[in-house]
Amino acid sequence: LDCKQGEGFIRLRNVKLPDLLNFRLNRSMTSQECKRECLKDCSCIAFTNSNITDGGSGCLMWFGDLIDIQEYHDENSEQDIYLRMQKSELGKPSA
């Protein structure tokens, strides 16, 4: 990524979140605020809600490599992650 205008996010559904090696947590942000904050920081490569109960809240952002992200097939899991992508790789806006 080169932090150009038009970058956005793709949504990966039902995943085991990456290891927390280089991250930032803000429990009071909404999902939209989290998205805007991640886009402002060129080193932010992904974000998600930090609490998925009751529709989701909080902001968890990753910086650097995403380690150990996996598909997670569990009926009760609703954890999604939004990965930052270049404009050319986005089919349509999703987040």
Side-chain angles (χ1 to χ4, degrees):
L1 296 172
D2 51 15
C3 209
K4 290 186 177 178
Q5 186 79 0
E7 287 181 350
F9 297 92
I10 60 167
R11 181 181 186 177
L12 295 180
R13 296 178 182 266
N14 299 321
V15 297
K16 176 199 164 291
L17 296 178
D19 290 346
L20 298 175
L21 299 175
N22 190 0
F23 70 98
R24 187 178 315 148
L25 173 65
N26 182 316
R27 290 192 170 114
S28 64
M29 276 187 187
T30 67
S31 184
Q32 286 300 312
E33 290 170 330
C34 190
K35 176 183 174 181
R36 284 192 298 269
E37 284 301 308
C38 191
L39 281 172
K40 284 184 201 176
D41 188 328
C42 292
S43 61
C44 180
I45 59 170
F47 76 92
T48 192
N49 289 334
S50 61
N51 181 355
I52 60 173
T53 58
D54 297 326
S57 64
C59 177
L60 185 56
M61 294 183 282
W62 283 266
F63 304 87
D65 294 333
L66 297 178
I67 307 294
D68 198 28
I69 188 170
Q70 301 174 26
E71 285 186 86
Y72 187 66
H73 298 285
D74 180 353
E75 299 177 5
N76 301 319
S77 173
E78 298 176 13
Q79 188 68 61
D80 300 336
I81 188 170
Y82 297 88
L83 300 177
R84 190 177 193 148
M85 304 293 285
Q86 292 179 357
K87 184 178 182 178
S88 62
E89 296 182 39
L90 296 171
K92 60 179 184 172
S94 64

